[in-house]
């Protein structure tokens, strides 16, 4: 059963653009807030919020506790 699932921590960056990859790398082990994501990625607030929304819709990340985001596992 586990071998069919694979490693749940391994996420494919296939079909993600450069900024989505940066954001996904910023939200690694623990949830990060929007300000931390901006600081780690150097992407503008407007663009980070837009990418976070799109990545939520794609099921890549999820919003938790206000403005914190974490990877979907």
């Amino acid at each position: 059963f586990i071998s069919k699932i694979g490693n749940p921590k391994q996420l494919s960056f296939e079909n993600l653009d450069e900024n989505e990859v940066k954001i996904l790398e910023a939200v690694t082990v623990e949830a990060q807030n929007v300000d931390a994501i901006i600081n780690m990625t150097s992407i503008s607030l407007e663009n980070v919020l837009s990418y976070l929304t799109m990545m939520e819709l794609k099921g890549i990340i999820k919003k938790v506790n206000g403005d914190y985001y974490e990877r979907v596992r």
Side-chain angles (χ1 to χ4, degrees), residues 2-3 6-7 11-12 14-17 21-22 29-31 34 39 43 47 52 57 66-67 69-70:
I2 292 175
S3 63
N7 184 349
L11 294 175
S12 172
E14 192 174 311
N15 299 323
L16 297 180
D17 73 19
V21 171
K22 285 181 183 180
V29 176
E30 59 188 46
V34 173
N39 289 333
I43 301 170
N47 286 331
L52 289 171
L57 293 173
D67 69 342
Y69 290 83
E70 68 183 14

Side-chain angles (χ1 to χ4, degrees), residues 33-48:
N33 71 15
V34 173
D35 290 332
I37 294 169
I38 291 168
N39 289 333
M40 287 186 260
T41 62
S42 299
I43 301 170
S44 71
L45 172 62
E46 180 180 279
N47 286 331
V48 165

